[in-house]
């Protein structure tokens, strides 16, 4: 014998489906917002790259990274 009669259990099953659907919709909305933000930031980075913003002057680490040692 089931814990609840089938005519009463239907309400709880329908409620569980509604809650599950609501959670999926919230998840999709969060992912859409995140995707929109990433797309906007990539567009801004592409604009910066197209403008060719010069890099700031280095702190001397470039010589070390390229194998340079003591310069005479």
């Amino acid at each position: 014998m089931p814990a609840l009669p089938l005519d009463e259990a239907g309400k709880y099953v329908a409620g569980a489906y509604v809650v599950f659907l609501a959670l999926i919709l919230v998840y999709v909305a969060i992912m859409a917002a995140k995707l929109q933000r990433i797309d906007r930031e990539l567009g801004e980075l592409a604009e910066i790259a197209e403008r060719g913003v010069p890099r700031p002057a280095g702190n001397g680490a470039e010589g070390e990274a390229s194998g340079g040692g003591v310069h005479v």
Side-chain angles (χ1 to χ4, degrees), residues 20-41:
F20 182 70
L21 180 63
L23 288 174
I24 289 178
L25 289 175
V26 167
Y27 175 78
V28 169
I30 290 171
M31 289 298 116
K34 188 180 272 192
L35 182 63
Q36 185 179 19
R37 180 182 53 86
I38 290 172
D39 188 39
R40 184 180 64 243
E41 289 177 358

Side-chain angles (χ1 to χ4, degrees), residues 10-24:
K11 292 184 242 180
Y12 294 106
V13 172
Y17 274 113
V18 168
V19 169
F20 182 70
L21 180 63
L23 288 174
I24 289 178

